[in-house]
Amino acid sequence: MHAYYADHFVLPLPSGHRFPMGKYARLRERLVAELPEVQMQEALPASRGELALVHTPAYIEAVASGTLSPAAQREIGFPWSPAMAERARRSVGATLQACRSALGGAGLAANLAGGTHHAYADKGSGFCVFNDFAVAARLMQAEHARLNRARGPLRVAIIDLDVHQGNGTASIFANDASVFTLSLHGARNFPFRKEPSDLDVELPDGCDDDTYTDALERALGELERRFDPGLVLYLAGADPHEGDRLGRLKLSFDGLEARDRRVMDWAWQKRLPLAIAMGGGYGHDLEATVQVQVNTYRTALQYWQRWRGGAAAVAGSTHWHNAPA
């Protein structure tokens, strides 16, 4: 199973900054030690042309050249640095590589970071510089169209289970019927001005495992009724965990593992290629956040092994191509 990383590009953050930069390298260390079947590959940077499928040229240039205004940097939550710009490009690149791997026959692949769903077309926000899922959806659609001109468009479902609503993603795809955006998130959490997704499920503070599982089940049923995807992008945020500083929900390790298993099983039953990103996680205990993500990878590896058993060949002909809308 392929996983893509860029944790060696470390942002020089000021002392006391609340973003847990160390979790990415720690996650890779744990995976190398505990799940050797996960093959680590350094992420390649997304090109300017790839980013421009979603982001405005002026914003891409401002990130590249370091000309973001102080206000823009505050909204992102990071001071600009060359490492910040490079890491942002590689975080997108990791999701692009994961999508190509999943669509290319592996069935399932992942980004050790990513899930930067607060980034809009013309600005970043909430620790998100570029929107990796939005760029990946648009690029996979373009590549699919080149290879399958006689077939319909590649339809992409984005299942966003970070504790924070995917406002940037929802905004980008607001008028795009070929991408379905589903977000389960804390009703009273950031962003305080939500953007309408195709399906939003708002959860109360203190939401427990059973409440979350029921909401997810109903949401997947609604997604299935309304949309027929050929690719699924899954944002497996660790921040719904009960130990998260910013989450406000009360999911246990077991509850989050059940969440991951339900999404992966939903995609597997339909033989839908699945690309995963880790999203947010701000635990009081960094190891707890990393443990949630290790559990996600352990579950993902089990589903990748199912694809390895031969189902990918079937999926390639039956589920990657959609009839014209």
PDB file of all heavy atoms in Angstrom, residues 63-86:
ATOM      1  N   VAL A  63       1.936  32.909  -2.706  1.00  0.00           N
ATOM      2  CA  VAL A  63       2.501  31.854  -1.860  1.00  0.00           C
ATOM      3  C   VAL A  63       3.923  31.539  -2.305  1.00  0.00           C
ATOM      4  O   VAL A  63       4.836  31.397  -1.487  1.00  0.00           O
ATOM      5  CB  VAL A  63       1.613  30.598  -1.904  1.00  0.00           C
ATOM      6  CG1 VAL A  63       2.297  29.444  -1.162  1.00  0.00           C
ATOM      7  CG2 VAL A  63       0.244  30.872  -1.294  1.00  0.00           C
ATOM      8  N   ALA A  64       4.131  31.437  -3.602  1.00  0.00           N
ATOM      9  CA  ALA A  64       5.455  31.067  -4.118  1.00  0.00           C
ATOM     10  C   ALA A  64       6.503  32.132  -3.827  1.00  0.00           C
ATOM     11  O   ALA A  64       7.648  31.814  -3.473  1.00  0.00           O
ATOM     12  CB  ALA A  64       5.359  30.815  -5.618  1.00  0.00           C
ATOM     13  N   SER A  65       6.124  33.387  -3.946  1.00  0.00           N
ATOM     14  CA  SER A  65       7.095  34.478  -3.845  1.00  0.00           C
ATOM     15  C   SER A  65       7.204  35.086  -2.457  1.00  0.00           C
ATOM     16  O   SER A  65       8.069  35.937  -2.206  1.00  0.00           O
ATOM     17  CB  SER A  65       6.725  35.579  -4.843  1.00  0.00           C
ATOM     18  OG  SER A  65       5.450  36.126  -4.533  1.00  0.00           O
ATOM     19  N   GLY A  66       6.322  34.684  -1.552  1.00  0.00           N
ATOM     20  CA  GLY A  66       6.363  35.244  -0.207  1.00  0.00           C
ATOM     21  C   GLY A  66       5.766  36.622  -0.099  1.00  0.00           C
ATOM     22  O   GLY A  66       6.151  37.393   0.783  1.00  0.00           O
ATOM     23  N   THR A  67       4.821  36.945  -0.973  1.00  0.00           N
ATOM     24  CA  THR A  67       4.205  38.268  -0.948  1.00  0.00           C
ATOM     25  C   THR A  67       2.796  38.243  -0.352  1.00  0.00           C
ATOM     26  O   THR A  67       2.013  39.175  -0.567  1.00  0.00           O
ATOM     27  CB  THR A  67       4.171  38.875  -2.363  1.00  0.00           C
ATOM     28  OG1 THR A  67       3.479  37.977  -3.244  1.00  0.00           O
ATOM     29  CG2 THR A  67       5.580  39.103  -2.880  1.00  0.00           C
ATOM     30  N   LEU A  68       2.462  37.192   0.382  1.00  0.00           N
ATOM     31  CA  LEU A  68       1.194  37.182   1.101  1.00  0.00           C
ATOM     32  C   LEU A  68       1.167  38.334   2.101  1.00  0.00           C
ATOM     33  O   LEU A  68       2.145  38.594   2.795  1.00  0.00           O
ATOM     34  CB  LEU A  68       1.019  35.861   1.848  1.00  0.00           C
ATOM     35  CG  LEU A  68       0.770  34.595   1.028  1.00  0.00           C
ATOM     36  CD1 LEU A  68       0.934  33.368   1.912  1.00  0.00           C
ATOM     37  CD2 LEU A  68      -0.615  34.627   0.403  1.00  0.00           C
ATOM     38  N   SER A  69       0.045  38.990   2.202  1.00  0.00           N
ATOM     39  CA  SER A  69      -0.083  40.085   3.162  1.00  0.00           C
ATOM     40  C   SER A  69      -0.062  39.532   4.586  1.00  0.00           C
ATOM     41  O   SER A  69      -0.349  38.349   4.818  1.00  0.00           O
ATOM     42  CB  SER A  69      -1.392  40.833   2.930  1.00  0.00           C
ATOM     43  OG  SER A  69      -2.493  40.014   3.304  1.00  0.00           O
ATOM     44  N   PRO A  70       0.267  40.382   5.562  1.00  0.00           N
ATOM     45  CA  PRO A  70       0.181  39.922   6.960  1.00  0.00           C
ATOM     46  C   PRO A  70      -1.196  39.374   7.316  1.00  0.00           C
ATOM     47  O   PRO A  70      -1.302  38.390   8.059  1.00  0.00           O
ATOM     48  CB  PRO A  70       0.523  41.179   7.758  1.00  0.00           C
ATOM     49  CG  PRO A  70       1.402  41.973   6.834  1.00  0.00           C
ATOM     50  CD  PRO A  70       0.848  41.733   5.455  1.00  0.00           C
ATOM     51  N   ALA A  71      -2.251  39.993   6.802  1.00  0.00           N
ATOM     52  CA  ALA A  71      -3.603  39.512   7.088  1.00  0.00           C
ATOM     53  C   ALA A  71      -3.825  38.129   6.498  1.00  0.00           C
ATOM     54  O   ALA A  71      -4.452  37.266   7.123  1.00  0.00           O
ATOM     55  CB  ALA A  71      -4.640  40.494   6.539  1.00  0.00           C
ATOM     56  N   ALA A  72      -3.323  37.902   5.280  1.00  0.00           N
ATOM     57  CA  ALA A  72      -3.472  36.589   4.647  1.00  0.00           C
ATOM     58  C   ALA A  72      -2.711  35.521   5.413  1.00  0.00           C
ATOM     59  O   ALA A  72      -3.185  34.387   5.572  1.00  0.00           O
ATOM     60  CB  ALA A  72      -2.989  36.652   3.202  1.00  0.00           C
ATOM     61  N   GLN A  73      -1.533  35.869   5.922  1.00  0.00           N
ATOM     62  CA  GLN A  73      -0.767  34.921   6.720  1.00  0.00           C
ATOM     63  C   GLN A  73      -1.468  34.622   8.036  1.00  0.00           C
ATOM     64  O   GLN A  73      -1.478  33.464   8.497  1.00  0.00           O
ATOM     65  CB  GLN A  73       0.639  35.462   6.971  1.00  0.00           C
ATOM     66  CG  GLN A  73       1.491  35.559   5.714  1.00  0.00           C
ATOM     67  CD  GLN A  73       2.866  36.115   6.001  1.00  0.00           C
ATOM     68  OE1 GLN A  73       3.616  35.546   6.788  1.00  0.00           O
ATOM     69  NE2 GLN A  73       3.205  37.240   5.374  1.00  0.00           N
ATOM     70  N   ARG A  74      -2.077  35.624   8.643  1.00  0.00           N
ATOM     71  CA  ARG A  74      -2.816  35.389   9.884  1.00  0.00           C
ATOM     72  C   ARG A  74      -4.001  34.462   9.649  1.00  0.00           C
ATOM     73  O   ARG A  74      -4.305  33.598  10.487  1.00  0.00           O
ATOM     74  CB  ARG A  74      -3.284  36.716  10.486  1.00  0.00           C
ATOM     75  CG  ARG A  74      -2.187  37.515  11.176  1.00  0.00           C
ATOM     76  CD  ARG A  74      -2.776  38.619  12.027  1.00  0.00           C
ATOM     77  NE  ARG A  74      -3.550  39.583  11.233  1.00  0.00           N
ATOM     78  CZ  ARG A  74      -3.034  40.647  10.649  1.00  0.00           C
ATOM     79  NH1 ARG A  74      -1.735  40.902  10.743  1.00  0.00           N
ATOM     80  NH2 ARG A  74      -3.800  41.489   9.963  1.00  0.00           N
ATOM     81  N   GLU A  75      -4.683  34.642   8.525  1.00  0.00           N
ATOM     82  CA  GLU A  75      -5.836  33.782   8.243  1.00  0.00           C
ATOM     83  C   GLU A  75      -5.394  32.338   8.018  1.00  0.00           C
ATOM     84  O   GLU A  75      -6.081  31.400   8.458  1.00  0.00           O
ATOM     85  CB  GLU A  75      -6.629  34.291   7.042  1.00  0.00           C
ATOM     86  CG  GLU A  75      -7.887  33.473   6.794  1.00  0.00           C
ATOM     87  CD  GLU A  75      -8.880  34.123   5.863  1.00  0.00           C
ATOM     88  OE1 GLU A  75      -8.604  35.250   5.380  1.00  0.00           O
ATOM     89  OE2 GLU A  75      -9.943  33.525   5.611  1.00  0.00           O
ATOM     90  N   ILE A  76      -4.275  32.143   7.358  1.00  0.00           N
ATOM     91  CA  ILE A  76      -3.738  30.796   7.194  1.00  0.00           C
ATOM     92  C   ILE A  76      -3.307  30.228   8.537  1.00  0.00           C
ATOM     93  O   ILE A  76      -3.527  29.050   8.831  1.00  0.00           O
ATOM     94  CB  ILE A  76      -2.562  30.795   6.195  1.00  0.00           C
ATOM     95  CG1 ILE A  76      -3.068  31.105   4.779  1.00  0.00           C
ATOM     96  CG2 ILE A  76      -1.825  29.454   6.207  1.00  0.00           C
ATOM     97  CD1 ILE A  76      -1.953  31.348   3.772  1.00  0.00           C
ATOM     98  N   GLY A  77      -2.689  31.049   9.343  1.00  0.00           N
ATOM     99  CA  GLY A  77      -2.214  30.603  10.643  1.00  0.00           C
ATOM    100  C   GLY A  77      -0.742  30.271  10.677  1.00  0.00           C
ATOM    101  O   GLY A  77      -0.220  29.846  11.716  1.00  0.00           O
ATOM    102  N   PHE A  78      -0.028  30.447   9.556  1.00  0.00           N
ATOM    103  CA  PHE A  78       1.404  30.203   9.460  1.00  0.00           C
ATOM    104  C   PHE A  78       2.104  31.452   8.948  1.00  0.00           C
ATOM    105  O   PHE A  78       1.616  32.096   8.001  1.00  0.00           O
ATOM    106  CB  PHE A  78       1.723  29.078   8.460  1.00  0.00           C
ATOM    107  CG  PHE A  78       1.170  27.727   8.812  1.00  0.00           C
ATOM    108  CD1 PHE A  78       0.658  26.900   7.817  1.00  0.00           C
ATOM    109  CD2 PHE A  78       1.167  27.270  10.119  1.00  0.00           C
ATOM    110  CE1 PHE A  78       0.159  25.652   8.115  1.00  0.00           C
ATOM    111  CE2 PHE A  78       0.670  26.013  10.431  1.00  0.00           C
ATOM    112  CZ  PHE A  78       0.165  25.205   9.429  1.00  0.00           C
ATOM    113  N   PRO A  79       3.257  31.786   9.495  1.00  0.00           N
ATOM    114  CA  PRO A  79       4.086  32.804   8.849  1.00  0.00           C
ATOM    115  C   PRO A  79       4.675  32.242   7.566  1.00  0.00           C
ATOM    116  O   PRO A  79       4.994  31.048   7.486  1.00  0.00           O
ATOM    117  CB  PRO A  79       5.174  33.075   9.899  1.00  0.00           C
ATOM    118  CG  PRO A  79       5.268  31.800  10.669  1.00  0.00           C
ATOM    119  CD  PRO A  79       3.886  31.222  10.704  1.00  0.00           C
ATOM    120  N   TRP A  80       4.814  33.104   6.550  1.00  0.00           N
ATOM    121  CA  TRP A  80       5.378  32.615   5.290  1.00  0.00           C
ATOM    122  C   TRP A  80       6.853  32.272   5.465  1.00  0.00           C
ATOM    123  O   TRP A  80       7.605  32.948   6.184  1.00  0.00           O
ATOM    124  CB  TRP A  80       5.255  33.656   4.175  1.00  0.00           C
ATOM    125  CG  TRP A  80       5.723  33.082   2.860  1.00  0.00           C
ATOM    126  CD1 TRP A  80       4.967  32.421   1.945  1.00  0.00           C
ATOM    127  CD2 TRP A  80       7.056  33.090   2.341  1.00  0.00           C
ATOM    128  NE1 TRP A  80       5.744  32.000   0.895  1.00  0.00           N
ATOM    129  CE2 TRP A  80       7.024  32.402   1.110  1.00  0.00           C
ATOM    130  CE3 TRP A  80       8.273  33.605   2.797  1.00  0.00           C
ATOM    131  CZ2 TRP A  80       8.163  32.223   0.324  1.00  0.00           C
ATOM    132  CZ3 TRP A  80       9.406  33.410   2.018  1.00  0.00           C
ATOM    133  CH2 TRP A  80       9.351  32.739   0.800  1.00  0.00           C
ATOM    134  N   SER A  81       7.279  31.229   4.802  1.00  0.00           N
ATOM    135  CA  SER A  81       8.684  30.855   4.694  1.00  0.00           C
ATOM    136  C   SER A  81       8.819  29.986   3.449  1.00  0.00           C
ATOM    137  O   SER A  81       7.821  29.439   2.956  1.00  0.00           O
ATOM    138  CB  SER A  81       9.149  30.063   5.931  1.00  0.00           C
ATOM    139  OG  SER A  81       8.488  28.803   5.989  1.00  0.00           O
ATOM    140  N   PRO A  82      10.018  29.837   2.894  1.00  0.00           N
ATOM    141  CA  PRO A  82      10.179  28.915   1.756  1.00  0.00           C
ATOM    142  C   PRO A  82       9.702  27.509   2.085  1.00  0.00           C
ATOM    143  O   PRO A  82       9.111  26.836   1.233  1.00  0.00           O
ATOM    144  CB  PRO A  82      11.684  28.966   1.486  1.00  0.00           C
ATOM    145  CG  PRO A  82      12.115  30.319   1.980  1.00  0.00           C
ATOM    146  CD  PRO A  82      11.268  30.583   3.186  1.00  0.00           C
ATOM    147  N   ALA A  83       9.935  27.054   3.322  1.00  0.00           N
ATOM    148  CA  ALA A  83       9.483  25.717   3.708  1.00  0.00           C
ATOM    149  C   ALA A  83       7.963  25.624   3.714  1.00  0.00           C
ATOM    150  O   ALA A  83       7.390  24.591   3.352  1.00  0.00           O
ATOM    151  CB  ALA A  83      10.044  25.350   5.083  1.00  0.00           C
ATOM    152  N   MET A  84       7.292  26.703   4.127  1.00  0.00           N
ATOM    153  CA  MET A  84       5.832  26.705   4.118  1.00  0.00           C
ATOM    154  C   MET A  84       5.299  26.543   2.708  1.00  0.00           C
ATOM    155  O   MET A  84       4.399  25.738   2.437  1.00  0.00           O
ATOM    156  CB  MET A  84       5.310  28.000   4.748  1.00  0.00           C
ATOM    157  CG  MET A  84       3.795  28.130   4.734  1.00  0.00           C
ATOM    158  SD  MET A  84       3.173  29.021   3.278  1.00  0.00           S
ATOM    159  CE  MET A  84       2.078  30.172   4.055  1.00  0.00           C
ATOM    160  N   ALA A  85       5.876  27.284   1.754  1.00  0.00           N
ATOM    161  CA  ALA A  85       5.420  27.201   0.368  1.00  0.00           C
ATOM    162  C   ALA A  85       5.699  25.825  -0.224  1.00  0.00           C
ATOM    163  O   ALA A  85       4.852  25.249  -0.920  1.00  0.00           O
ATOM    164  CB  ALA A  85       6.097  28.294  -0.460  1.00  0.00           C
ATOM    165  N   GLU A  86       6.880  25.290   0.050  1.00  0.00           N
ATOM    166  CA  GLU A  86       7.235  23.978  -0.513  1.00  0.00           C
ATOM    167  C   GLU A  86       6.402  22.872   0.107  1.00  0.00           C
ATOM    168  O   GLU A  86       5.935  21.958  -0.595  1.00  0.00           O
ATOM    169  CB  GLU A  86       8.722  23.701  -0.302  1.00  0.00           C
ATOM    170  CG  GLU A  86       9.221  22.424  -0.967  1.00  0.00           C
ATOM    171  CD  GLU A  86       9.141  22.447  -2.489  1.00  0.00           C
ATOM    172  OE1 GLU A  86       8.987  23.545  -3.070  1.00  0.00           O
ATOM    173  OE2 GLU A  86       9.237  21.363  -3.104  1.00  0.00           O
TER     174      GLU A  86
END
